[in-house]
Amino acid sequence: MPKNKTHSGAKKRFRVTGSGKLMREQAGKRHLLEVKSSRRKRKLSRDQPVAGSDLRQVKKLLGR
């Protein structure tokens, strides 16, 4: 049986931490940055864990 391929879009959007958690980037830091405060932009820079309801789907796309 052939190996499953990793979803190319998913591997660019998610990363796995050393402890096995799935992390994602936050939306809202691509454009219109002049109107957003530095504090808001700084908070948007942090990675967030993937929501529990989405974990199963994301793991499948990553082949985990």
Side-chain angles (χ1 to χ4, degrees):
M1 199 170 165
K3 293 180 180 177
N4 288 329
K5 291 196 174 182
T6 303
H7 191 284
S8 300
K11 70 183 176 189
K12 295 169 192 173
R13 288 171 171 81
F14 304 103
R15 67 182 184 84
V16 185
T17 63
S19 61
K21 278 198 297 187
L22 288 167
M23 303 297 279
R24 65 169 177 83
E25 290 281 326
Q26 288 201 77
K29 200 158 184 271
R30 293 287 180 217
H31 63 149
L32 302 175
L33 299 174
E34 291 173 333
V35 299
K36 295 170 187 163
S37 68
S38 298
R39 178 183 175 187
R40 185 168 159 198
K41 286 184 279 191
R42 197 163 51 244
K43 287 192 171 190
L44 287 170
S45 292
R46 300 183 196 145
D47 283 358
Q48 293 292 311
V50 174
S53 54
D54 299 326
L55 276 176
R56 193 163 154 228
Q57 177 69 17
V58 174
K59 281 183 180 177
K60 184 182 174 192
L61 292 171
L62 294 174
R64 295 186 141 262

